[in-house]
Amino acid sequence: MTYSPATADQLLAINVNAGIEQLARSERFAAAEPDMVEAIVEGVGQFAAGEWAPLNRIGDLEGAKLENGVVRLPEGFAAAYEHYVEQGWNSIASPVDFGGQGLPFTLACNVLENLGTANMAFNLLPMLSVGAIEALEHHGSEALQAKYLPLLVSGEWSGTMNLTEPQAGSDLGALRTSATPITEGEHAGKYCIKGQKIYITWGDHELAKNIIHLVLARLPDAPEGSRGISLFVVPKYHVNADGTPGARNDLRCVSLEHKLGINASPTCVMSYGDNDECIGELVGAENRGLMAMFTMMNNARINVGTQGVQIAERATQQAQDYAADRIQSARAGSPDRTPVAILEHPDVRRMLLRMKALTEAVRALLYYTAGQVDRGTLGQTDAAARAEILVPLLKAWGTDVGVEAASLGIQIHGGMGFIEETGAAQHWRDARIAPIYEGTNGIQAADLVTRKLGLDDGQALIGLLEEIARDSAAEPALFALAGECAAVARWMREEASIDDRLAGSVPFCTMMAVAVAGWQLTRQVAAVEAGAAPALAATKPGTVRFFLDRIVPEASGLKSGAIAGAESLYAVSTEALLG
Ligand SMILES: Cc1cc2nc3c(=O)[nH]c(=O)nc-3n(C[C@H](O)[C@H](O)[C@H](O)COP(=O)(O)OP(=O)(O)OC[C@H]3O[C@@H](n4cnc5c(N)ncnc54)[C@H](O)[C@@H]3O)c2cc1C
């Protein structure tokens, strides 16, 4: 269960795929000089491995517990969070005006990658806070920003996102939590919030001094559906005039969900306004809450996609150790009949290389995406549109890869993988949530074939594929995949019905993700061959070759499913299907 940060591969991806040097040439990101970048990547890697990784196992075994209304974490979590805040890791990309360091989003992704590889469940605490910070940064009034942002940015307070209700999951338009304007008394101008939210990540705990909930709710006269949802900021403790936490607000954690994994992350059922005294303030305009949420959802989805890299890296490292230690059978075809470590057998080798290639591919996709987001921040509209396309690819395929790698990790352990003591199973149990939350992977794929496919009249997506094809003339499989993606995209736009598109959305999303990731890997190889990252010279070309020769053709094979259309899905009637 030891873990060492993938510093060299991260730096390569940050340099080559995010293009950090180019970003640092802008005034906005001038501080992201090479020394600073290295210091952050190495520093957070060491911190994560030293302080957060040792808590991964105890977090899984003991988990978060609700005791007499208080959510408690296993011993060690409070101190590790305190050290995280003290060392300033929470504030990397946050606005300078509120105490942040104003560095590129790319580097904030790296902080989360390292912390999440060390301890995925714990890392959800800062991840959710980032969402709250962005919501307030982009949509909060100056007064709200001054009140909440400094301590959210430092990490002394944490944030949550409250969307889901029992009847409103993927369909947020169905939510019922209410917000009633207060016209008199000390809270006049604010709102009385009432309702129940489920599955709220880190909804309650004692690690931060206050918890700032971002809550979606409906005003009394709001239109039906998603056009009638507003966003509110609802603190656990009211904030005194001097900025310190005051009396408790009328909200509580009713229970914690019992989950398959991420046991150290308290997943709370939250009740707001049991006594009709839960006070919230409006963020942004009335009935525009969903829009406000969506502007920060891109980054949140990237952060969930990152969880795929995190768990794949951790599972790969553990499988490597086990495969080097476990002795079984002599190598087939070898005259020496002495049993060897299982990594000498071709099939174990295949699994290990697959895990490694997939992990590095998602990492390349992650930092390419983050770099495009940063260019969008600098006002480059093409990059912003490209990021829009990349986000569902990273979220959906990245998290699928996390599950696949964790599953392969179990397989490499054989029977010991199924036994909890080795910890291989924890990675798979933890990984399994990532394709579900922050918009299921099915919803990501739907977003790709509806909104994203049509961006810039289809040119945003086709332009990306043309670039991949142009750069991969020497890689026939990748070149072919880019062409097949373009053909599917054209079919979807020109011939397919909306049902046809949705029926092929998931295979198409995987094809696109593999094409972009393969392209970004070829850029890494070129850099390594030109002398970048000597530490990776022995592994990178072979790992990328594995990806290009085996995983890229698999993605091409998905084309038939992508263009099969919806008719066959309904050929079996609903009654017969339920049978
Ligand atoms: C551990 C955990 C932590 C979470 N943290 C948070 C949090 O912090 N804040 C928060 O607000 N929520 C949170 N969630 C909720 C999470 O975002 C939802 O579970 C998720 O959005 C899916 O909603 P649902 O569970 O209601 O599934 P459903 O919406 O019921 O979906 C069920 C299945 O149907 C599919 N489906 C649904 N609609 C469509 C459609 N139109 N087209 C095609 N397929 C469709 C889905 O893809 C899925 O496969 C969390 C959930 C879990 C389990």
Side-chain angles (χ1 to χ4, degrees), residues 128 161-164 168-171 198-201 259 262 267 433 436-440 442-443:
L128 267 293
M161 307 304 288
N162 291 244
L163 294 76
T164 311
S170 300
D171 181 10
I198 59 169
Y199 300 144
I200 303 309
T201 298
K259 309 191 293 293
I262 53 165
T267 305
I433 182 59
I436 297 171
Y437 56 22
E438 203 54 56
T440 64
I443 298 294

Side-chain angles (χ1 to χ4, degrees), residues 274-473:
D274 286 352
N275 305 307
D276 296 325
E277 288 174 359
C278 177
I279 310 300
E281 290 175 83
L282 183 68
V283 181
E286 291 184 356
N287 299 329
R288 306 283 292 169
L290 216 49
M291 295 291 292
M293 277 283 184
F294 276 122
T295 54
M296 41 73 46
M297 219 168 250
N298 258 355
N299 289 3
R301 287 177 169 176
I302 292 171
N303 291 337
V304 173
T306 308
Q307 294 190 310
V309 191
Q310 295 163 13
I311 216 77
E313 176 67 44
R314 191 74 195 257
T316 303
Q317 289 194 18
Q318 185 163 344
Q320 282 169 329
D321 285 353
Y322 188 81
D325 271 1
R326 172 74 173 159
I327 310 290
Q328 284 292 286
S329 309
R331 176 90 183 266
S334 166
D336 183 353
R337 300 320 295 153
T338 315
V340 295
I342 57 172
L343 61 71
E344 297 298 339
H345 299 305
D347 186 52
V348 177
R349 203 85 169 185
R350 172 192 66 82
M351 289 190 279
L352 271 179
L353 262 173
R354 190 173 179 93
M355 291 173 82
K356 197 166 162 51
L358 285 170
T359 307
E360 292 178 14
V362 181
R363 183 175 289 123
L365 177 59
L366 160 66
Y367 288 103
Y368 180 57
T369 308
Q372 298 302 305
V373 170
D374 282 323
R375 284 169 181 75
T377 305
L378 295 176
Q380 298 177 20
T381 48
D382 287 3
R386 180 155 296 181
E388 290 267 313
I389 289 173
L390 297 171
V391 167
L393 310 185
L394 174 65
K395 197 282 170 179
W397 183 66
T399 56
D400 283 347
V401 161
V403 176
E404 182 183 347
S407 178
L408 283 169
I410 292 178
Q411 194 68 19
I412 286 174
H413 281 73
M416 286 310 288
F418 203 68
I419 306 297
E420 286 286 356
E421 275 85 340
T422 55
Q426 183 193 344
H427 304 315
W428 183 81
R429 290 189 287 97
D430 285 351
R432 194 60 191 85
I433 182 59
I436 297 171
Y437 56 22
E438 203 54 56
T440 64
N441 285 359
I443 298 294
Q444 303 301 320
D447 177 43
L448 177 67
V449 301
T450 52
R451 217 167 65 75
K452 307 296 168 70
L453 190 63
L455 276 181
D456 293 343
D457 202 23
Q459 260 317 297
L461 192 136
I462 291 294
L464 167 63
L465 291 168
E466 282 170 354
E467 232 178 285
I468 297 174
R470 193 194 63 208
D471 289 354
S472 58

